[in-house]
Each structure stands twice: as C-alpha cells, then as structure tokens.
C-alpha cells in the first residue's frame, strides 16, 4: 500500500473505468446499434465507427424471376398432343382398317393412298382451282348473309313492333330447308354463280338472324337497370350496352353459318357446276376415282376447321372486354 497526496490508493474496477472514459457496456452498445438502425432495415454503422456517419451502401440489383423455358415447352407439347390425339387415332384407324381387311379397300382406301391422291391434285393444280371456286362462292354468300342478318336481327330484337310484323313470315321460311329450295333457285336464277351464292345466303341467314334476335332479348337485366340509372339515351344504350353484350351470342350464330355455308355449297355444286370442291367430289365418284373423292372431302373438312378458328379469333378480339370466368 502506497501513500499519494495524503490519501491511500484506491482500486478502480473496469466498469468505473469505462464510465469515466465515456464507454458503454456491451449491452448498451448493442441497444444503441438497434435504436440507431433505420426502420427500413438498412444496415447501420458498427460500434467502432463514429455516430452520425452513414456508410455507403452498394446498389442492390433487382432479382429477375425468369420462368423456365423447358416447363412451358412441355406444357405446350402436352396440350397439343391432347388436342390432336383424337385426330391421330382416327387417321390411324383409317390407315389400318383397310389393310387388315376390316373394310373393303376399294370403297375406303388407306389414308396414305388418299394423301398421295391429294398431293397429286395439288401438283396438277386441280385442287387449287376447285377450292378457289368454292371459297369465292362460300365467302360471298356468307358475307352477304352477315351484312343482312345482323342488322335485321338487331332491329327485330330491339323493336317489338318490327318483331310482331315479321315473325310470322320468318317462321314460314325458317322451317323450310335450304336444299329443298335449291331447284327453285336454279329455275329462277339459272345454274350459274348467282343461284349458288343465293342458296348460301339463304342457308346462312337463319342461324345468324335467330342468334342475333336471341342475343338482344337476353341481355343481362342488371346491365339495363344500371344503364337506365345513368339516363342514357336509346342510341347510347344500344351502342354501349346492348351491342357489346350481344357479341358472344351473335358470333355463335356466325360460326354456325360458316359451317352451313360450306356444306350447302358443296351440295349445290353437285348440280350443274363445272368447278368447285363439290364438283370434284361428284366427278371423282362417277369416274370411280375413290382416293380423289376422299381427298376432296378431307379438303372441305380442313377448310371448315380453319374458317371456324378464324371466326373464333375475331370473336375474341371483339369481346376482349369480357372478364374470363374463374373456377
């Protein structure tokens, strides 16, 4: 023990030294670090650095979630295989049934022979010429039917007096088959292009007309009440509510008419025509060229499917405002 300035030397603890030098305990340092850290989770300065000095933070790169390409390709391939499975099964049965003697190959040749005959018709230009003649007639009649039936259907469906006036006449012609009137069209209009296009117009008009009338009369009443609460005028109500809500049902009739236009035309071309797919099928039957006959039938089916898909795309574009149903 030593004597300094008349007093005894006193032992100083480490806690007193830290207090005297302005230091904090490890618990206090940790508490100060948590309090000084920003609320957004930005890392704060360490205890060894002076307070109030912000450390520069390295810019963080946004992480891009790139979907894997392989699963998307696999899903697309699976969807395509599922949709084409029935067609592939039909073609396979068509190929194997004649070869195994299940059907007479004279009247139903294998699909490979039909495909070969189809390619020969493409090579010599017969298929292109006949398909062009049929498409011109079919699309002309179909277009005229759409241009006439849609406005007429909207008028009949919207105005009750017009419906009461025309409904008896429509019922008479509605129950008369188009092919039953084909001899009448030929007698009145001849065997040229006019009679064939006219029979297509007549056959296509009814599905479009009936679906258009039904579309106008079955608009959601809630939409009509909301429109009436906004005091919309009759033209604006028709433009903003009735017409958009009627598009899906109208296109149902248009797609039906697209299929009818091809079927009726083929039947009309079998009577007094010199070109067209119907003429090709009929002439192949008379000449007993069975593979060529089936090639014409397959061509008609492909055209019908392609035409229907085109109408589906147009319908989706015109009704893009609709919210898809969720399961």
């Amino acid at each position: 023990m030593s004597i300094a300035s008349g007093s005894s030397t006193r032992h100083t603890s480490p806690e007193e030294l830290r207090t005297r030098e302005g230091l904090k305990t490890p618990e206090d340092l940790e508490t100060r670090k948590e309090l000084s850290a920003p609320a957004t989770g930005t890392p704060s300065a360490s205890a060894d650095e002076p307070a109030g000095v912000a450390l520069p933070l390295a810019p963080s790169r946004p992480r891009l979630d790139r979907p894997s390409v392989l699963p998307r390709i696999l899903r697309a391939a699976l969807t395509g295989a599922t949709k084409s499975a029935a067609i592939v099964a039909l073609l396979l049965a068509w190929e194997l049934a004649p070869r195994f003697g299940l059907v007479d190959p004279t009247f139903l040749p294998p699909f490979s022979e039909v495909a070969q005959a189809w390619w020969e018709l493409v090579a010599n230009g017969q298929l292109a010429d006949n398909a062009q003649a049929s498409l011109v007639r079919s699309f002309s009649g179909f277009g005229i039917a759409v241009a006439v039936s849609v406005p007429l259907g909207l008028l009949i469906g919207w105005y009750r007096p017009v419906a009461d006036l025309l409904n008896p006449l429509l019922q008479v012609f509605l129950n008369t088959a188009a092919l039953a009137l084909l001899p009448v069209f030929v007698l009145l209009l001849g065997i040229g292009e006019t009679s064939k296009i006219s029979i297509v117009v007549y056959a296509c008009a009814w599905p479009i007309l009936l679906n258009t009338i039904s579309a106008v009369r079955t608009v959601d009443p809630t939409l009509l009440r909301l429109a009436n609460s906004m005091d919309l005028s009759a033209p604006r109500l028709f433009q903003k509510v009735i017409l958009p809500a009627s598009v899906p049902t109208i296109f149902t009739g248009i797609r039906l008419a697209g299929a009818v236009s091809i079927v009726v035309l083929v039947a009309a071309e079998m009577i007094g025509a010199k070109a067209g797919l119907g003429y090709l099928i009929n002439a192949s039957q008379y000449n007993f060229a069975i593979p060529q006959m089936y090639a014409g039938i397959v061509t008609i089916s492909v055209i019908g499917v392609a035409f229907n898909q085109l109408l589906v795309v147009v319908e989706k574009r015109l009704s893009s405002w609709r919210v898809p149903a969720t399961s």
Side-chain angles (χ1 to χ4, degrees):
M1 182 177 292
S2 62
I3 306 297
S5 303
S7 62
S8 61
T9 303
R10 183 173 176 271
H11 179 71
T12 306
S13 65
E15 289 77 6
E16 293 178 349
L17 287 176
R18 282 194 294 267
T19 304
R20 187 180 303 170
E21 296 175 4
L23 299 177
K24 303 294 183 181
T25 62
E27 292 79 10
D28 296 337
L29 292 175
E30 188 67 20
T31 304
R32 185 178 68 177
K33 185 189 296 185
E34 294 177 358
L35 293 175
S36 61
T40 57
T42 305
S44 61
S46 63
D48 297 335
E49 297 171 351
V53 178
L55 292 178
L57 300 177
S60 60
R61 296 181 178 179
R63 184 177 181 182
L64 299 178
D65 296 332
R66 296 181 178 178
S68 178
V69 179
L70 184 58
R72 296 173 58 185
I73 296 177
L74 292 178
R75 286 196 299 268
L78 181 60
T79 302
T82 302
K83 292 182 178 180
S84 59
I87 301 297
V88 173
L90 174 62
L91 297 180
L92 184 62
W94 188 353
E95 177 69 25
L96 297 179
R99 296 190 181 277
F100 285 95
L102 299 179
V103 295
D104 191 348
T106 304
F107 303 107
L108 183 62
F111 178 75
S112 57
E113 296 183 9
V114 175
Q116 182 179 358
W118 183 87
W119 180 251
E120 292 176 355
L121 291 174
V122 172
N124 57 30
Q126 295 185 38
L127 187 65
D129 295 339
N130 289 286
Q132 180 181 359
S134 294
L135 290 177
V136 169
R137 296 164 182 162
S138 178
F139 288 168
S140 299
F142 175 79
I144 295 173
V146 172
V148 173
S149 299
V150 171
L152 182 60
L154 294 174
L155 185 65
I156 295 174
W158 183 246
Y159 293 103
R160 179 63 63 178
V162 178
D164 296 337
L165 176 64
L166 298 180
N167 187 59
L169 184 63
L170 295 179
Q171 291 297 326
V172 171
F173 286 101
L174 175 62
N175 294 282
T176 304
L179 294 179
L181 295 177
L182 180 58
V184 178
F185 280 93
V186 173
L187 289 175
L188 296 178
L189 303 175
I191 60 174
E193 300 298 316
T194 305
S195 61
K196 296 176 179 57
I197 295 177
S198 299
I199 195 66
V200 173
V201 173
Y202 179 85
C204 294
W206 301 111
I208 303 174
L209 183 64
L210 295 178
N211 279 272
T212 304
I213 296 173
S214 176
V216 175
R217 292 180 178 177
T218 57
V219 174
D220 190 356
T222 304
L223 296 177
L224 297 177
R225 287 194 296 267
L226 291 175
N228 291 329
S229 65
M230 299 174 65
D231 295 331
L232 292 179
S233 61
R236 295 286 292 176
L237 176 63
F238 184 82
Q239 177 186 1
K240 296 297 184 180
V241 178
I242 302 298
L243 191 57
S246 303
V247 167
T249 307
I250 292 175
F251 261 89
T252 300
I254 291 177
R255 290 171 59 186
L256 292 174
V260 170
S261 66
I262 298 176
V263 173
V264 172
L265 177 64
V266 170
E269 287 177 342
M270 291 182 177
I271 301 177
K274 297 181 179 180
L277 293 175
Y279 166 77
L280 174 64
I281 294 172
N282 198 35
S284 300
Q285 178 191 8
Y286 278 117
N287 296 327
F288 210 73
I290 304 301
Q292 287 80 359
M293 181 188 72
Y294 283 106
I297 296 173
V298 171
T299 303
I300 292 174
S301 301
V302 173
I303 292 175
V305 172
F307 191 28
N308 181 73
Q309 292 301 316
L310 176 62
L311 294 176
V312 170
V313 172
V314 176
E315 178 185 0
K316 289 181 178 179
R317 292 292 301 272
L318 294 179
S319 59
S320 58
W321 56 271
R322 301 179 64 194
V323 178
T326 57
S327 57

